[in-house]
Structures are given as C-alpha cells and as structure tokens.
Amino acid sequence: MARRKTKPKSGETEYLDGQLLVAMPSMPDERFARTVIYMCAHSEEGAMGIVINKKSKSVTFPELLVQLKVIDEKAAIRLPAEVETMQVLRGGPMESGRGFVLHSDDFQSGDSTVTIDKGVCLTATLDILRAIADGVGPHNAALALGYASWGPGQLENELLHNGWLTCPADPALIFDPAHDQKYDRALRAIGVDPGFLSGEAGHA
C-alpha cells in the first residue's frame, strides 16, 4: 500500500497518499459532506482513504473490543480511562464492519503495519487492538470502521470538478479527539475561511 514518494515529472499525476482530502460544500455525495479524509493509498489503480472526523453512532470502543473477542465483558470494565474513552470513527462506506487503525509509528505489527507518511501508520489486524487494550499500543491512534475508495481516475475526476480540496496532513489534526472541529481546522490550515468558502472555489 505504501509507495515511496518522488516529485512528479512534468505532466505526471501527483499522488495524494499521506495528504488530506477536504470536502467542498458542493460535494454531491451526502456520505462525504464536510468530511476530512486521510489518504492511505493513491496510484493509477485508484485510491483509498479513511474519514477522520465522523464518529460512529453505533458502537463504542469497549463494545467493539468485546464484539471482536479481544477482551471479555469483565475486562471491559477495567480498561484504562484513555482506552475506555477512545472514539470509533466512521471511516467510510466500504466494508463498514472492518476496522482500520491509523496510528503513530511507535507501534509495529510486522508486515501487518504499513507506514503511510510522516510517522503515520495503518494497521488492520487485531494485534493492535489487543495492544491498545493492554495499554502497550501506540501513543496516538484512531480506530475507524470502513474506508473510502475510488476506482482508476475517479478521484482525479472529482478533484477536477471541485469536489475536494487537498491539504498537507498534520498528525496533530489526525489524532485529535475533537472530531467536530477537524473540518474547519483543515480548511484554515490551507488558508481558507470556512465562512467564505463557496462551491465554486478552486483547488488549494
């Protein structure tokens, strides 16, 4: 999934893995309205990313650990406070029952962990959930159910038609638990005032 970044040559596509997509107000797909997406993979074959600012309304982190049999119900009562309050995100409409953990690079699970960019990794196995439950997981982590994906050329077309703005990814934003503030913060990070943003704006 990870790909070494090189500066694109003239006429080549600049791939966006390791960056953020910020939905424009004109976004026609309601599933992605006001979303901020961390791009995990982007190539000529398509793209994949995780929505980082939409909380799941259906399950809490302790409930998920019990459902996946990472811990039993008795152990759920004894979880550390920072684990008990860890929020579960709606990562996107694809495979919404599958978990993905974006995390800092102080945790590795062998070949299961993929380094995306700038100290941000992705792990999609139960090992990392067990480590988090035991208090030995990564310093920063965000668990998402599901992901967003695009076929070949689909994301490029959406960018061309002003569906998204692009923004450098800041780990401080990715892992901040204040999810309801991330959309406006991402816009401000690229110099856009949310109050003046219109659907006709160009790419950042």
Side-chain angles (χ1 to χ4, degrees), residues 122-173:
L122 176 70
T123 302
T125 59
L126 292 179
D127 293 347
I128 189 168
L129 297 183
R130 293 190 184 98
I132 292 172
D134 291 338
V136 294
H139 180 68
N140 291 312
L143 170 64
L145 295 177
Y147 61 94
S149 68
W150 295 261
Q154 184 181 359
L155 178 57
E156 289 81 357
N157 184 62
E158 292 179 11
L159 288 163
L160 185 64
H161 289 86
N162 291 328
W164 304 94
L165 292 167
T166 61
C167 173
D170 179 0
L173 176 63

Coordinates of all heavy atoms in Angstrom, one line a residue, residues 122-173:
L122 N -0.7 2.5 9.3 CA -2.0 1.9 9.2 C -1.9 0.4 9.6 O -1.0 -0.3 9.0 CB -2.6 2.0 7.8 CG -4.0 1.3 7.6 CD1 -5.1 2.0 8.4 CD2 -4.3 1.3 6.1
T123 N -2.7 -0.1 10.5 CA -2.7 -1.5 10.9 C -4.1 -1.9 10.9 O -5.0 -1.3 11.5 CB -2.0 -1.8 12.2 OG1 -0.7 -1.3 12.2 CG2 -2.0 -3.3 12.5
A124 N -4.4 -3.1 10.3 CA -5.8 -3.6 10.2 C -6.0 -5.0 10.7 O -6.8 -5.7 10.3 CB -6.3 -3.5 8.7
T125 N -5.2 -5.3 11.8 CA -5.3 -6.6 12.4 C -5.6 -6.4 13.9 O -5.5 -5.4 14.4 CB -4.0 -7.4 12.3 OG1 -2.9 -6.7 12.9 CG2 -3.7 -7.7 10.8
L126 N -6.1 -7.5 14.5 CA -6.5 -7.5 15.9 C -5.3 -7.2 16.9 O -5.5 -6.8 18.0 CB -7.2 -8.8 16.3 CG -8.6 -9.0 15.7 CD1 -9.1 -10.4 16.1 CD2 -9.5 -7.9 16.0
D127 N -4.1 -7.5 16.4 CA -2.9 -7.3 17.3 C -2.9 -5.9 17.9 O -2.6 -5.8 19.1 CB -1.6 -7.6 16.5 CG -1.5 -9.0 16.0 OD1 -2.2 -9.9 16.5 OD2 -0.6 -9.3 15.2
I128 N -3.1 -4.9 17.1 CA -3.0 -3.6 17.6 C -4.1 -3.3 18.6 O -3.9 -2.5 19.6 CB -3.0 -2.5 16.5 CG1 -2.7 -1.1 17.0 CG2 -4.3 -2.5 15.7 CD1 -2.4 -0.1 15.9
L129 N -5.3 -3.9 18.4 CA -6.4 -3.6 19.4 C -6.1 -4.3 20.7 O -6.4 -3.7 21.8 CB -7.7 -4.2 18.8 CG -8.2 -3.5 17.5 CD1 -9.6 -4.1 17.1 CD2 -8.4 -2.0 17.7
R130 N -5.5 -5.5 20.7 CA -5.0 -6.1 21.9 C -4.0 -5.3 22.6 O -4.0 -5.1 23.8 CB -4.5 -7.5 21.6 CG -5.5 -8.5 21.0 CD -4.9 -9.9 21.0 NE -5.9 -10.8 20.4 CZ -5.8 -11.2 19.1 NH1 -4.9 -10.8 18.3 NH2 -6.7 -12.1 18.7
A131 N -3.1 -4.7 21.8 CA -2.0 -3.9 22.5 C -2.6 -2.7 23.1 O -2.2 -2.3 24.2 CB -1.0 -3.5 21.4
I132 N -3.6 -2.0 22.4 CA -4.2 -0.8 23.0 C -5.0 -1.2 24.2 O -4.9 -0.5 25.3 CB -5.2 -0.2 21.9 CG1 -4.4 0.4 20.8 CG2 -6.0 0.9 22.6 CD1 -5.2 0.9 19.6
A133 N -5.7 -2.3 24.2 CA -6.5 -2.7 25.4 C -5.5 -3.0 26.6 O -5.9 -2.8 27.7 CB -7.3 -4.0 25.1
D134 N -4.3 -3.5 26.3 CA -3.4 -3.8 27.3 C -2.5 -2.6 27.8 O -1.7 -2.8 28.6 CB -2.4 -5.0 26.9 CG -3.1 -6.3 26.7 OD1 -4.2 -6.5 27.3 OD2 -2.6 -7.2 26.0
G135 N -2.7 -1.5 27.1 CA -2.0 -0.3 27.5 C -0.6 -0.2 26.9 O 0.2 0.6 27.4
V136 N -0.3 -1.0 25.9 CA 1.0 -1.1 25.3 C 0.9 -0.7 23.8 O 1.8 -1.1 23.0 CB 1.7 -2.4 25.5 CG1 2.0 -2.6 27.0 CG2 0.9 -3.6 25.0
G137 N -0.1 -0.1 23.4 CA -0.3 0.3 22.0 C 0.4 1.5 21.6 O 1.2 2.1 22.4
P138 N 0.2 2.1 20.4 CA 0.8 3.3 20.0 C 0.4 4.5 20.9 O -0.7 4.5 21.5 CB 0.3 3.5 18.6 CG -0.9 2.7 18.5 CD -0.8 1.5 19.4
H139 N 1.2 5.5 20.9 CA 0.9 6.7 21.7 C -0.3 7.4 21.1 O -1.2 7.9 21.9 CB 2.1 7.7 21.7 CG 1.9 8.9 22.5 ND1 1.8 8.9 23.8 CD2 1.7 10.2 22.1 CE1 1.6 10.2 24.3 NE2 1.5 11.0 23.2
N140 N -0.4 7.5 19.8 CA -1.6 8.1 19.2 C -2.3 7.0 18.3 O -1.6 6.3 17.5 CB -1.2 9.3 18.3 CG -0.7 10.5 19.2 OD1 -1.4 10.8 20.1 ND2 0.4 11.0 18.8
A141 N -3.6 7.0 18.3 CA -4.3 6.0 17.5 C -5.7 6.5 17.2 O -6.3 7.2 18.1 CB -4.3 4.6 18.1
A142 N -6.2 6.2 16.1 CA -7.6 6.4 15.7 C -8.2 5.2 15.0 O -7.7 4.8 14.0 CB -7.7 7.7 14.8
L143 N -9.2 4.6 15.6 CA -9.9 3.4 15.0 C -11.0 3.8 14.2 O -11.9 4.6 14.6 CB -10.3 2.5 16.2 CG -11.2 1.3 15.7 CD1 -10.4 0.4 14.8 CD2 -11.7 0.6 16.9
A144 N -11.1 3.3 13.0 CA -12.2 3.6 12.0 C -12.8 2.3 11.5 O -12.1 1.3 11.3 CB -11.7 4.5 10.9
L145 N -14.1 2.3 11.4 CA -14.8 1.2 10.7 C -15.1 1.6 9.3 O -15.8 2.6 9.0 CB -16.1 0.9 11.5 CG -15.9 0.4 12.9 CD1 -17.3 0.2 13.6 CD2 -15.1 -0.9 13.0
G146 N -14.6 0.8 8.4 CA -14.8 1.1 7.0 C -13.8 2.0 6.4 O -12.9 2.6 7.1
Y147 N -13.9 2.3 5.1 CA -13.0 3.2 4.4 C -13.6 3.7 3.1 O -14.7 3.3 2.7 CB -11.7 2.4 4.0 CG -11.9 1.2 3.1 CD1 -11.7 1.4 1.7 CD2 -12.2 0.0 3.6 CE1 -11.9 0.3 0.9 CE2 -12.4 -1.1 2.8 CZ -12.2 -0.9 1.4 OH -12.4 -2.0 0.6
A148 N -13.0 4.7 2.5 CA -13.4 5.3 1.3 C -12.5 4.8 0.2 O -11.3 4.7 0.4 CB -13.4 6.8 1.4
S149 N -13.1 4.5 -1.0 CA -12.2 4.1 -2.1 C -12.7 4.7 -3.4 O -13.9 5.1 -3.6 CB -12.2 2.6 -2.2 OG -13.5 2.1 -2.6
W150 N -11.8 4.8 -4.4 CA -12.0 5.3 -5.7 C -11.4 4.4 -6.7 O -10.3 3.9 -6.5 CB -11.4 6.7 -5.8 CG -12.0 7.8 -5.0 CD1 -12.9 8.7 -5.3 CD2 -11.7 8.1 -3.6 NE1 -13.2 9.5 -4.3 CE2 -12.5 9.2 -3.2 CE3 -10.8 7.5 -2.7 CZ2 -12.4 9.7 -1.9 CZ3 -10.7 8.0 -1.4 CH2 -11.5 9.1 -1.0
G151 N -12.1 4.2 -7.8 CA -11.5 3.4 -8.9 C -10.5 4.2 -9.7 O -10.3 5.4 -9.4
P152 N -9.9 3.6 -10.7 CA -8.9 4.4 -11.6 C -9.5 5.6 -12.1 O -10.5 5.6 -12.8 CB -8.6 3.3 -12.7 CG -8.9 2.0 -12.1 CD -10.0 2.2 -11.2
G153 N -8.8 6.8 -11.9 CA -9.2 8.0 -12.4 C -10.4 8.7 -11.8 O -10.7 9.9 -12.0
Q154 N -11.1 8.0 -10.9 CA -12.3 8.6 -10.2 C -12.0 9.7 -9.3 O -12.7 10.8 -9.4 CB -13.0 7.5 -9.5 CG -14.4 7.9 -8.9 CD -15.1 6.8 -8.1 OE1 -14.6 5.7 -8.0 NE2 -16.2 7.2 -7.5
L155 N -11.0 9.6 -8.5 CA -10.7 10.7 -7.6 C -10.1 11.9 -8.4 O -10.5 13.1 -8.1 CB -9.6 10.3 -6.6 CG -9.1 11.3 -5.6 CD1 -10.3 11.9 -4.8 CD2 -8.1 10.8 -4.6
E156 N -9.3 11.7 -9.4 CA -8.8 12.8 -10.2 C -10.0 13.5 -10.9 O -9.9 14.8 -10.9 CB -7.9 12.2 -11.3 CG -6.6 11.7 -10.8 CD -6.6 10.3 -10.2 OE1 -7.8 9.7 -10.1 OE2 -5.6 9.7 -9.8
N157 N -11.0 12.8 -11.3 CA -12.2 13.5 -11.9 C -12.9 14.3 -10.9 O -13.4 15.4 -11.2 CB -13.1 12.4 -12.5 CG -14.3 13.0 -13.2 OD1 -14.1 13.7 -14.2 ND2 -15.5 12.7 -12.7
E158 N -13.0 13.8 -9.6 CA -13.7 14.6 -8.6 C -12.9 15.8 -8.2 O -13.5 16.9 -7.9 CB -13.9 13.7 -7.4 CG -14.9 12.5 -7.6 CD -15.1 11.7 -6.4 OE1 -14.7 12.0 -5.3 OE2 -15.8 10.6 -6.5
L159 N -11.6 15.7 -8.2 CA -10.8 16.9 -7.9 C -10.9 17.9 -9.1 O -11.0 19.1 -8.8 CB -9.3 16.5 -7.8 CG -9.0 15.7 -6.5 CD1 -7.6 15.0 -6.7 CD2 -8.9 16.6 -5.3
L160 N -11.0 17.4 -10.3 CA -11.1 18.3 -11.4 C -12.4 19.1 -11.4 O -12.5 20.2 -11.8 CB -11.0 17.5 -12.7 CG -11.1 18.3 -14.0 CD1 -9.8 19.1 -14.2 CD2 -11.1 17.3 -15.2
H161 N -13.5 18.5 -10.8 CA -14.8 19.1 -10.7 C -15.0 19.7 -9.4 O -16.2 19.9 -9.0 CB -15.9 18.1 -11.1 CG -15.9 17.7 -12.5 ND1 -15.1 16.7 -13.1 CD2 -16.6 18.2 -13.6 CE1 -15.3 16.6 -14.4 NE2 -16.2 17.5 -14.7
N162 N -14.0 20.1 -8.7 CA -14.1 20.8 -7.4 C -14.8 20.1 -6.3 O -15.6 20.7 -5.5 CB -14.7 22.2 -7.6 CG -13.7 23.1 -8.4 OD1 -12.5 23.0 -8.3 ND2 -14.3 24.0 -9.2
G163 N -14.7 18.8 -6.3 CA -15.3 18.0 -5.2 C -14.5 18.1 -3.9 O -15.1 18.0 -2.8
W164 N -13.2 18.3 -4.0 CA -12.3 18.2 -2.9 C -11.3 19.3 -2.9 O -10.9 19.7 -4.0 CB -11.6 16.9 -2.8 CG -12.5 15.7 -2.8 CD1 -12.8 14.9 -3.9 CD2 -13.1 15.1 -1.7 NE1 -13.6 13.9 -3.5 CE2 -13.8 13.9 -2.1 CE3 -13.1 15.4 -0.3 CZ2 -14.5 13.1 -1.3 CZ3 -13.8 14.5 0.6 CH2 -14.5 13.4 0.1
L165 N -10.8 19.7 -1.8 CA -9.6 20.5 -1.6 C -8.6 19.5 -1.0 O -8.9 18.5 -0.4 CB -9.8 21.6 -0.6 CG -10.7 22.8 -1.1 CD1 -11.0 23.7 0.1 CD2 -10.0 23.6 -2.2
T166 N -7.3 19.8 -1.3 CA -6.2 19.0 -0.7 C -5.4 19.8 0.3 O -5.3 21.0 0.2 CB -5.3 18.4 -1.8 OG1 -4.7 19.5 -2.5 CG2 -6.1 17.6 -2.8
C167 N -4.9 19.0 1.3 CA -4.3 19.7 2.4 C -3.2 18.8 3.0 O -3.4 17.6 3.1 CB -5.3 20.0 3.5 SG -4.7 20.6 5.1
P168 N -2.0 19.3 3.3 CA -1.0 18.5 4.0 C -1.5 17.9 5.3 O -2.3 18.6 6.0 CB 0.2 19.5 4.3 CG 0.0 20.6 3.3 CD -1.5 20.7 3.1
A169 N -1.1 16.7 5.6 CA -1.6 16.0 6.8 C -0.8 16.4 8.0 O 0.4 16.2 7.9 CB -1.7 14.5 6.5
D170 N -1.4 16.8 9.1 CA -0.7 17.0 10.3 C -1.2 16.0 11.3 O -2.4 15.9 11.6 CB -1.1 18.5 10.8 CG -0.5 18.8 12.1 OD1 0.3 18.0 12.7 OD2 -0.7 19.9 12.6
P171 N -0.2 15.2 11.9 CA -0.6 14.2 12.8 C -1.4 14.7 14.0 O -2.3 14.1 14.6 CB 0.7 13.6 13.3 CG 1.6 13.7 12.1 CD 1.2 15.1 11.5
A172 N -1.1 16.0 14.4 CA -1.9 16.6 15.5 C -3.3 16.7 15.2 O -4.2 16.7 16.1 CB -1.3 18.0 15.8
L173 N -3.7 16.9 13.9 CA -5.1 17.0 13.5 C -5.7 15.6 13.3 O -6.8 15.4 13.8 CB -5.1 17.8 12.1 CG -6.5 17.8 11.5 CD1 -7.5 18.6 12.4 CD2 -6.5 18.5 10.1

